[in-house]
């Protein structure tokens, strides 16, 4: 057999898969995680949306009118067997693709769709969206993630020499941004810097800090100014060629994650290391329920007629939406916080990690892969019957 060729049976039963990526890193991470875990070749479709995309998307629900066709990935036959999407902007595109070949295209949407649930063959969701139980809805406890031992070890090894000057143990700090009523403001950045520095002093180590696309530049400056222990700070930038995110997760003995991103929390917990959730809020606006409830009770006892402060109105309105509004219009990330803490996978920053805590693996990805495989009739053959390894590798490439 010529060198570099793969037997035809190794590429049998491989459906044509399109992965729709968007403008949110968390969504992209989940759809790529699923595509990679399925093990089938896949093609990434990237889109540039028009300024007023929300109008045709919300009105038509099944359309590509909201994208700039010249700057976006082509959408043309042969149509895929499987479309994996996430996010409001990609939802109309996925539905439009299915309309082109409704008998053969299967659509899988990750997260919460804004369309009615029956428009998708499978929805993979998590508790904060509070979707109803339906035959085509898979309820996972945590978001999908791209963490595995091989990726963590490989990335940690690549960064080993660049971090060798810092004292161990490493405490990785993963920084997100604002989410709903929870604001990653300069005050929160100052608290995070001081709490993380104290953690590092207590264990005699250093901080490996990585920001994200949603982290405001002003808060990064405040965060850096208030660090007083050895550290390495990576400032996220678009299309960075050497992002140390997985390297920092792989190198860490402890991980601190801001509580806004469910994807980053899932990835941290998937390492099965000690994970500490940083509460973006304080007092009544805390993420931690017992903290917020105690502060609210104290305020009511002190002055039942005290008006809301301007800075707290957004948080108050969001809480009322979660309590009284339509569930599909809001999300409650505290549900996942509670699950991670109650299951022993994480603690709130400042709480002690139990020495005998269980370290159960997250099964969200395995469950999703099983459902998608049962959904797709995997009988599509790649042509030609013999495919080169480089060609298969190119097909499996990810962002």
């Amino acid at each position: 057999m010529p060198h570099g060729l793969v037997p035809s049976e190794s590429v049998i039963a491989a459906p044509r898969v399109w992965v729709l990526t968007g403008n949110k890193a968390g969504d992209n991470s989940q759809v790529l995680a699923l595509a990679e875990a399925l093990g089938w070749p896949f093609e990434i479709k990237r889109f540039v949306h028009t300024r007023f995309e929300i109008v045709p998307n919300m009105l038509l629900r099944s359309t590509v009118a909201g994208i700039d066709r010249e700057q976006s990935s082509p959408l043309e036959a042969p149509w895929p067997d499987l479309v994996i999407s996430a996010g409001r902007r990609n939802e109309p595109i996925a539905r439009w693709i299915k309309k082109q070949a409704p008998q053969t295209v299967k659509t899988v949407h990750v997260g919460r769709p804004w369309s009615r649930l029956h428009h998708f063959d499978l929805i993979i969701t998590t508790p904060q969206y509070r979707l109803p139980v339906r035959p085509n809805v898979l309820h996972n406890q945590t978001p999908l993630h791209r963490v595995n031992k091989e990726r963590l070890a490989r990335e940690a090894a690549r960064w080993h020499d660049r971090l060798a000057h810092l004292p161990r143990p490493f405490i990785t700090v993963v920084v997100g941004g604002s989410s709903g009523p929870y604001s990653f403001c300069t005050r929160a950045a100052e608290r995070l810097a001081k709490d993380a520095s104290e953690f590092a002093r207590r264990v005699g180590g250093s901080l490996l800090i990585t920001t994200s696309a949603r982290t405001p530049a002003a808060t990064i400056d405040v965060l850096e100014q208030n660090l007083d222990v050895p550290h390495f700070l990576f400032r996220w930038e678009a299309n960075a060629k050497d992002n140390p995110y997985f390297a920092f997760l792989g190198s860490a003995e402890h991980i601190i994650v801001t509580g806004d991103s469910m994807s980053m929390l899932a990835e941290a917990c998937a390492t099965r290391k000690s994970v500490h959730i940083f509460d973006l809020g304080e007092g009544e606006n805390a993420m931690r329920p017992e903290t917020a409830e105690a502060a609210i009770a104290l305020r009511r006892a002190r002055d039942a007629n005290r008006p809301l402060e301007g800075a707290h109105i957004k948080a108050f309105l969001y809480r009322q939406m979660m309590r009284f509004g339509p569930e599909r219009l809001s999300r409650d990330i505290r549900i996942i916080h509670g699950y991670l803490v109650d299951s022993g996978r994480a603690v709130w920053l400042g709480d002690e990690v139990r020495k005998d805590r269980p370290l159960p693996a997250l099964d969200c990805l395995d469950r999703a892969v099983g459902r998608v495989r049962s959904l797709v009739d995997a009988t599509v053959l790649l042509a030609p019957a013999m495919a080169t390894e480089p060609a298969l590798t190119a097909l499996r490439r990810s962002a």
Side-chain angles (χ1 to χ4, degrees):
M1 180 182 297
H3 177 72
L5 294 182
V6 182
S8 59
E9 58 265 27
S10 68
V11 292
I12 290 176
R16 183 185 297 274
V17 181
W18 286 3
V19 178
L20 312 187
T21 59
N23 64 330
K24 293 186 177 181
D27 288 344
N28 292 343
S29 179
Q30 290 197 70
V31 295
L32 289 171
L34 180 57
E36 291 169 352
L38 285 168
W40 297 327
F42 62 90
E43 183 178 353
I44 296 173
K45 297 291 186 179
R46 298 179 176 87
F47 304 102
V48 175
H49 295 268
T50 62
R51 184 177 179 183
F52 300 105
E53 53 79 22
I54 191 171
V55 177
N57 284 356
M58 297 302 288
L59 290 177
L60 302 177
R61 301 290 187 179
S62 173
T63 181
V64 291
I67 65 173
D68 184 327
R69 299 293 291 267
E70 293 186 358
Q71 298 187 63
S72 301
S73 297
L75 296 173
E76 56 193 21
W79 302 109
D81 303 287
L82 174 64
V83 176
I84 304 174
S85 63
R88 178 189 61 77
R89 289 183 171 186
N90 284 342
E91 186 180 322
I93 303 172
R95 291 182 56 186
W96 181 88
I97 296 170
K98 186 174 180 67
K99 283 183 65 176
Q100 312 314 304
Q103 302 305 314
T104 57
V105 175
K106 301 295 184 182
T107 53
V108 174
H109 192 76
V110 179
R112 171 188 56 189
W114 291 89
S115 303
R116 294 188 180 277
L117 303 183
H118 69 266
H119 288 296
F120 295 91
D121 295 291
L122 178 64
I123 298 165
I124 301 171
T125 192
T126 41
Q128 77 268 32
Y129 296 120
R130 299 172 290 177
L131 295 187
V133 175
R134 296 287 187 275
N136 67 325
V137 179
L138 173 63
H139 289 268
N140 272 338
Q141 292 292 345
T142 57
L144 307 180
H145 62 83
R146 302 176 71 196
V147 168
N148 56 61
K149 291 181 179 179
E150 294 75 19
R151 172 171 279 140
L152 295 182
R154 181 177 65 250
E155 294 300 308
R158 285 200 316 109
W159 275 76
H160 179 272
D161 292 345
R162 280 175 279 187
L163 304 176
H165 64 288
L166 294 171
R168 289 178 179 268
F170 291 149
I171 302 95
T172 288
V173 182
V174 183
V175 185
S178 298
S179 176
Y182 309 115
S183 175
F184 188 56
C185 57
T186 54
R187 165 63 183 165
E190 181 180 349
R191 285 194 296 113
L192 176 58
K194 292 181 178 179
D195 290 351
S197 294
E198 176 57 31
F199 192 115
R201 273 193 300 273
R202 188 167 68 249
V203 299
S206 53
L207 303 175
L208 307 180
I209 307 165
T210 177
T211 64
S212 66
R214 296 185 301 106
T215 313
T219 63
I220 302 175
D221 294 337
V222 171
L223 176 69
E224 187 170 26
Q225 291 164 8
N226 285 275
L227 296 170
D228 57 9
V229 294
H231 63 273
F232 186 109
L233 172 63
F234 174 78
R235 291 176 179 251
W236 182 94
E237 58 183 43
N239 303 316
K241 294 182 179 179
D242 204 8
N243 189 318
Y245 179 70
F246 289 110
F248 285 6
L249 291 181
S251 302
E253 291 190 27
H254 310 277
I255 304 173
I256 299 172
V257 188
T258 57
D260 55 283
S261 172
M262 302 304 96
S263 291
M264 295 192 306
L265 276 170
E267 288 162 345
C269 290
T271 67
R272 305 179 79 173
K273 300 177 181 181
S274 66
V275 176
H276 306 256
I277 307 172
F278 174 75
D279 193 335
L280 293 185
E282 294 179 280
E284 296 180 27
N285 301 312
M287 293 174 160
R288 190 171 183 173
E290 54 266 35
T291 301
E293 290 166 5
I296 291 172
L298 180 62
R299 175 178 62 80
R300 288 173 177 170
R302 184 175 60 242
D303 185 359
N305 298 316
R306 180 184 176 186
L308 283 174
E309 297 178 11
H312 296 165
I313 290 178
K314 181 179 179 181
F316 172 79
L317 293 176
Y318 194 89
R319 287 196 297 267
Q320 302 316 303
M321 170 66 78
M322 289 190 293
R323 184 177 179 184
F324 300 112
E327 290 189 348
R328 66 181 292 107
L329 298 181
S330 66
R331 66 189 185 115
D332 190 351
I333 61 178
R334 298 173 303 176
I335 298 173
I336 293 186
H337 294 158
Y339 169 73
L340 295 177
V341 172
D342 292 344
S343 65
R345 292 177 170 89
V347 298
W348 291 99
L349 183 58
D351 288 355
E352 290 295 325
V353 176
R354 296 202 325 260
K355 300 299 181 183
D356 61 341
R357 71 189 179 100
L359 289 173
L362 298 176
D363 64 353
C364 55
L365 193 55
D366 291 339
R367 297 180 77 239
V369 167
R371 283 292 298 270
V372 174
R373 284 187 172 276
S374 67
L375 175 70
V376 177
D377 181 17
T379 58
V380 180
L381 302 184
L382 292 179
M386 302 296 286
T388 63
E389 282 284 11
L392 292 176
T393 301
L395 282 171
R396 293 188 178 98
R397 69 184 181 277
S398 61

